[in-house]
Amino acid sequence: LVFERPILVGDTVEVNNLLGTVNRIGVRSSNISTFDGAEVVVPNSNLISNDLINWTLSSNLKRIEILIGVAYGTDLNTVLKILKETVDSHEDVLKTPEPQALFSDFGDSSLNFRLRFWVHFEHGMQAKSDVSVALYNAFAEKGIEIPFPQRDIHINTNPPEPGENKLTPPE
């Protein structure tokens, strides 16, 4: 840690499902303050030998992705326009790299889209929430349905006669 400098005081790191800000780097251990308010002492050997994600070492930018589906029959171009206008209007969304509104696939119950955009790390969760709510409201305003999975179930109410082969359909 001292020589390679994979983390610095003030970095936001993730190690062993622990996400927080580095407060102190010592000879044997480091202190990380979690976003839940806990102060965790982590042996430096854990920081070196385990997978370490440093969210802010070279940049404090984070890409956010929102997956959303709309009902079949909805105009794809209208959805793409709403996605782009909504994300472009949020103040925390960065203009560069430019946000992307993408049609991704034909799902079982919906036409699926991906909305990708970049924010400063500390605004990530709030920006994702704000943009998601704004999309929901914009879709509702335009009458665009966000479907839920649906399945048709067919129940046979005619039980087979005794001795009848259950695997062979009647003629």
Side-chain angles (χ1 to χ4, degrees), residues 89-131:
S89 68
H90 194 281
E91 64 185 18
D92 290 330
V93 172
L94 300 176
K95 304 301 179 214
T96 305
E98 185 177 351
Q100 293 180 303
L102 306 164
F103 173 72
S104 61
D105 58 59
F106 299 95
D108 290 339
S109 303
S110 62
L111 300 168
N112 297 321
F113 294 82
R114 293 177 184 270
L115 180 61
R116 295 178 174 166
F117 56 93
W118 290 83
V119 296
H120 291 285
F121 184 84
E122 61 273 9
H123 299 294
M125 288 181 65
Q126 188 64 54
K128 183 174 184 176
S129 175
D130 293 347
V131 171

Side-chain angles (χ1 to χ4, degrees), residues 153-168:
I153 299 174
H154 299 277
I155 299 173
N156 183 358
T157 58
N158 298 323
E161 296 293 324
E164 183 180 356
N165 184 346
K166 296 178 184 178
L167 298 176
T168 306

